[in-house]
Amino acid sequence: MKGKKIGVLMGGLSAERDVSLKSGLAVHQALLAMGYDSTAIDVRSEVANMLRDEKIEVAFIALHGRYGEDGCIQGLLELMQIPYTGSGVLASALAMHKLYSKQAFAAAGLTITPYLALRRGDTCSAETLPFGLPVVVKPVQEGSSVGVSIVKKAEDLQAALDEAFRYDELVLVEQYIKGQEVQVGILDNQPIGAIEIVPKNEFYDFEAKYSDGMAEHFFPARLDAALYEKVQQQGLKAHQALGCDGYCRVDFLVTETGDCYLLEVNTLPGMTALSLLPEIAQKGAGLSFEQLVERILTSASTKVCNAA
């Protein structure tokens, strides 16, 4: 791999652009420190020309959100016959779409939160909800908790829906589940540990994810041994249910009764200084940030594009 030119794809066009730039820069600097021929690519609409002009041979995808985490860039790379890190087109698209991924998880026998899907123009009131308040309202295809609200009072529901519809034509209204926020790291298609997050805000929102000191991290997650193993295996099952490849982070709510409610699979988890996968890899597998980056990069060398 050190004989190949690696493009670290970052930035992009989504609401998570700034976070992606931080992830990409960290990955790029790690690759340079290890002696790799790495080039930072700020992804714009002309990204195909940029990849061709830079003669990129392998892509390390450090994008988050739409056009980077949803299968779009993966499809482009396959057409250009450029190996890339992470999951393929279908798994990326499924994981990014919270409604379709929920359907896949349920089909695989995993526990999901009760939900209602709404399209722009649909009407919804607290009285018509099948599970009552409180609820979590979120756009279907955004990450980093962008556009997410917790609604406890009926009069706040419409404002939360309006906020979610700013980002998507389709939103989910989910039953609020009280539990420990636990994230499972998957690397080389195997679980490497589970971390618990206790945010200072009401939930693990954008501020808590990307502001130092806004959340406490507990590794390993404060679960008994049997439940800890259960959540890791459920994380692996979710990874497999979507057909993910290489690495991901799987988010759960774990209740006092031991139910593991699967929230989502992040096929391109953050790689910033505050990101969870690097922390899980360091504490659970003894991998430094640079070693984690190299493991992820190495997985791209075995990805064979199916183009003729």
Side-chain angles (χ1 to χ4, degrees), residues 6-287:
I6 300 160
V8 180
L9 308 190
M10 64 181 79
L13 306 172
S14 79
E16 298 176 78
R17 172 179 169 79
D18 290 345
V19 177
S20 173
L21 288 171
K22 292 179 181 178
S23 285
L25 183 59
V27 169
H28 174 55
Q29 291 175 337
L31 289 172
L32 290 176
M34 290 185 288
Y36 287 94
D37 183 5
S38 177
T39 299
I41 305 288
D42 187 350
V43 173
R44 305 286 186 168
S45 58
E46 63 276 12
V47 62
N49 291 333
M50 298 169 68
L51 293 168
R52 189 176 296 111
D53 292 345
E54 293 288 347
K55 297 181 172 57
I56 298 302
E57 296 175 274
V58 179
F60 193 116
I61 306 177
L63 293 163
H64 305 311
R66 290 192 179 191
Y67 312 114
E69 203 166 355
D70 60 359
C72 287
I73 195 71
Q74 290 81 3
L76 173 64
L77 292 166
E78 290 198 13
L79 285 171
M80 296 182 71
Q81 301 187 49
I82 299 174
Y84 56 92
T85 56
S87 294
V89 176
L90 179 58
S92 299
L94 280 174
M96 189 68 187
H97 198 288
K98 294 180 177 64
L99 175 58
Y100 296 153
S101 60
K102 274 183 176 292
Q103 293 170 349
F105 297 147
L110 293 158
T111 302
I112 61 171
T113 55
Y115 68 92
L116 179 68
L118 298 174
R119 294 193 177 276
R120 189 182 300 278
D122 289 346
T123 59
C124 177
S125 67
E127 292 74 21
T128 60
L129 288 173
F131 34 75
L133 296 174
V135 295
V136 181
V137 179
K138 61 181 67 171
V140 162
Q141 295 190 87
E142 287 293 343
S144 292
S145 300
V146 172
V148 176
S149 304
I150 293 179
V151 178
K152 297 180 179 179
K153 297 184 292 185
E155 58 266 30
D156 296 334
L157 179 58
Q158 189 57 53
L161 290 170
D162 292 342
E163 174 65 12
F165 277 124
R166 287 179 55 205
Y167 299 96
D168 208 312
E169 295 294 312
L170 182 64
V171 306
L172 290 183
V173 181
E174 297 178 336
Q175 181 180 358
Y176 176 80
I177 303 294
K178 183 175 178 57
Q180 295 168 259
E181 298 197 33
V182 176
Q183 284 78 27
V184 174
I186 305 291
L187 182 63
D188 296 334
N189 300 309
Q190 294 296 323
I192 57 171
I195 194 168
E196 179 187 352
I197 304 303
V198 181
K200 292 189 176 179
N201 293 342
E202 188 170 16
F203 68 103
Y204 196 43
D205 60 8
F206 189 93
E207 182 184 24
K209 289 176 179 177
Y210 303 114
S211 301
D212 195 11
M214 291 302 295
E216 290 185 88
H217 298 184
F218 295 93
F219 188 93
R222 296 174 298 178
L223 306 170
D224 65 48
L227 188 52
Y228 188 84
E229 179 60 22
K230 176 184 175 181
V231 76
Q232 287 199 98
Q233 291 307 312
Q234 293 287 289
L236 178 60
K237 191 173 181 179
H239 177 84
Q240 295 169 337
L242 299 184
C244 296
D245 185 36
Y247 75 111
C248 74
R249 195 194 74 238
V250 190
D251 298 351
F252 290 91
L253 284 171
V254 181
T255 68
E256 290 182 350
T257 57
D259 293 313
C260 301
Y261 284 91
L262 174 56
L263 298 179
E264 62 181 343
V265 170
N266 297 273
T267 55
L268 293 175
M271 296 290 283
T272 71
L274 297 177
S275 296
L276 299 178
L277 183 66
E279 185 174 354
I280 295 170
Q282 194 276 319
K283 295 177 178 178
L287 297 175

